[in-house]
Amino acid sequence: MTKSLRDEIGPERFDELIAEGVRKAVAELHAAGLPAVGGENGRVYKVYADGTKVYADEEEEGAREYRIFADGTKVYVDEAPA
């Protein structure tokens, strides 16, 4: 039977690599002006680059998504050029 990568490199190293990958992915999302999505206690939330956490069940009805770019420009997703 073939060993899994986790078994081959050990659970501690495997978990470190997964955590590093997640941190990098979140940083890329934030750099693009997008929130990362997570969950806790059965609730979904968006976390923005400034640390703001907005739970999906608490968002305002009809709230518009937007991106904030590194230069401070705010662009609503529904108005962004294709």
Side-chain angles (χ1 to χ4, degrees):
M1 193 159 137
T2 307
K3 281 187 167 185
S4 69
L5 177 60
R6 187 174 193 270
D7 290 338
E8 285 185 26
I9 66 174
E12 294 83 14
R13 182 68 180 134
F14 183 84
D15 291 347
E16 286 173 17
L17 292 171
I18 294 297
E20 180 182 335
V22 170
R23 280 192 297 276
K24 286 181 179 179
V26 169
E28 288 179 18
L29 285 169
H30 288 168
L34 297 169
V37 177
E40 82 187 348
N41 299 324
R43 295 175 69 199
V44 175
Y45 62 83
K46 297 176 190 173
V47 62
Y48 294 85
D50 67 358
T52 303
K53 191 183 283 188
V54 179
Y55 287 88
D57 59 355
E58 294 176 356
E59 276 188 313
E60 294 179 24
E61 186 78 27
R64 292 173 65 200
E65 287 287 325
Y66 60 87
R67 296 179 184 177
I68 298 178
F69 294 92
D71 66 359
T73 305
K74 181 177 180 179
V75 177
Y76 287 95
V77 174
D78 58 353
E79 294 176 353

